[in-house]
Amino acid sequence: MLPLLVAVALFLVWPIAEAVRLSFVRYNPLRPDEQPFVGLDNYLFVLEDPLFWESFWQAIVWTGISTVLQALIGVGLALLLHLPLRGINVFRGLLLFPYIVPTVVIALNWRWLFNSEIGIVNHALMSFGIIDDRIAWLSTPTMAMASAILLNVWKYTPFVVIVVLARLQTIPTELYDAAKVDGAGALRRFRDITLPQLAEVLAVVVVFRTIWTFNKFEEIFLLTRGGPGTSTYNLALYAYDQSIANLRMGVGAAAGVIMLGLLLAGSLVYI
C-alpha cells in the first residue's frame, strides 16, 4: 500500500494542508519570503466581500440546475440504453463522446456555436422559424448562465448514464416478472422496483456531480470568463482571481477552504 499512501499524501493531503496554512497568512507570490501570520483576516475579507456572496449564489444556481438536469436526463437515457435492441452497444459507445473530449475543445466550439452573429444555433433556430431575432447567448446574463449549464449537462450526463446503466443491468429480472404477473404497469414497476434499486447509486452520483460542478472552473472561464459582468461568476473563479489576478494567495486559499467546508457539510447532510 506504500505507493498509494505516498500518492495520496503528495497529491491530496499536502495540497489541502498547504491551502489551510496559506489561508492564515498574507502571501504575495512576488515576495515569497514574506508570509506574515494574519489569523482570520483572510476569512473576514472573503465573508465581507459582496462579490463572494454574489458568486456563491450563482454557484448554487449553476450547480443545482446542472446536477438536477444531469440526473433526470441521465436516468432517462440509461433506461433507453437498457432496452434489449439490436445495435444498442453502438449507441452506448457513442454516448461517451462528450465525456472524453477535452473541455477546452468543447468550450471553444460552444463559443462559436452560440455566437450571436455567426453561430449555427441562431442560424438553425431562425431557419426553422422558432425565433425571429438573434439571441445573444453569451452576452446577456440569463442566457450566458443557461449556455454554461447546457455545456456542463451535455458533457457530464454520460457519467450519470454509465453509472445508472451499470446498476440497471444488475437488477434481477425476476422482480419485474413477478410485478408483471401481479398486474403492475410500466410506471408502477419503475416507481416500486427501478427507483428503489437505483437509490444508493443515485445518491453517490448526485454527491459526486455536486462536488465536481461546484468546483468547476475551466468551463465557465473558457466560455464566458464569468461574464457578462459577473453573471456567471462562481466561487472557483473568485478563488482564482483572488489568487492569480490579484496576487492575494491567502484570500484565494481562504475561499477554497470555505468551499471545502460547504461541500463537506452539504455532502454529510445529503447522505
Side-chain angles (χ1 to χ4, degrees):
M1 293 183 65
L2 184 59
L4 174 63
L5 293 176
V6 172
V8 169
L10 184 62
F11 296 109
L12 181 63
V13 177
W14 179 75
I16 293 176
E18 182 65 7
V20 174
R21 185 191 69 82
L22 285 176
S23 68
F24 292 103
V25 301
R26 182 179 295 110
Y27 176 43
N28 186 326
L30 299 180
R31 295 189 294 272
D33 296 331
E34 300 178 12
Q35 299 186 29
F37 180 78
V38 296
L40 297 176
D41 286 358
N42 291 328
Y43 291 94
L44 293 175
F45 178 90
V46 170
L47 296 176
E48 293 174 356
D49 188 357
L51 183 58
F52 169 81
W53 292 107
E54 183 179 353
S55 61
F56 169 75
W57 291 115
Q58 285 165 179
I60 294 294
V61 172
W62 147 264
T63 303
I65 297 178
S66 297
T67 304
V68 169
L69 289 178
Q70 287 171 34
L72 293 176
I73 298 173
V75 171
L77 289 177
L79 292 171
L80 290 175
L81 293 174
H82 187 54
L83 297 175
L85 302 177
R86 177 180 294 181
I88 198 68
N89 287 334
V90 175
F91 292 97
R92 292 173 182 172
L94 291 174
L95 186 73
L96 290 172
F97 180 75
Y99 196 57
I100 62 179
V101 176
T103 302
V104 63
V105 175
I106 294 176
L108 293 177
N109 275 282
W110 277 57
R111 288 184 65 180
W112 171 73
L113 290 171
F114 284 96
N115 186 285
S116 58
E117 298 297 328
I118 62 173
I120 193 172
V121 174
N122 275 343
H123 176 75
L125 293 176
M126 294 179 70
S127 298
F128 287 108
I130 299 175
I131 60 174
D132 297 323
D133 298 318
R134 293 183 176 90
I135 298 176
W137 292 98
L138 303 178
S139 302
T140 55
T142 303
M143 297 311 298
M145 178 62 80
S147 302
I149 290 173
L150 284 175
L151 188 154
N152 187 268
V153 171
W154 180 80
K155 179 170 174 57
Y156 293 105
T157 295
F159 170 80
V160 180
V161 176
I162 293 169
V163 177
V164 173
L165 181 60
R167 181 67 183 97
L168 286 173
Q169 293 174 341
T170 65
I171 300 177
T173 57
E174 292 82 0
L175 296 176
Y176 294 102
D177 294 336
K180 290 179 181 177
V181 171
D182 291 337
L187 183 61
R188 187 68 181 272
R189 295 196 300 271
F190 175 76
R191 189 189 69 185
D192 292 342
I193 299 176
T194 305
L195 274 184
Q197 294 289 328
L198 293 177
E200 292 184 359
V201 168
L202 284 176
V204 175
V205 166
V206 169
V207 168
F208 276 115
R209 286 307 314 148
T210 299
I211 293 172
W212 293 338
T213 305
F214 194 78
N215 286 328
K216 269 296 170 185
F217 164 79
E218 66 272 20
E219 292 171 7
I220 290 181
F221 181 79
L222 292 168
L223 188 66
T224 65
R225 298 189 184 275
T230 56
S231 59
T232 58
Y233 204 76
N234 67 354
L235 289 178
L237 265 71
Y238 178 85
Y240 169 81
D241 281 345
Q242 292 296 337
S243 301
I244 307 302
N246 300 329
L247 299 179
R248 291 196 286 251
M249 298 292 292
V251 174
V257 173
I258 292 174
M259 291 172 63
L260 174 64
L262 291 172
L263 288 171
L264 180 61
S267 299
L268 291 175
V269 170
Y270 177 77
I271 292 176

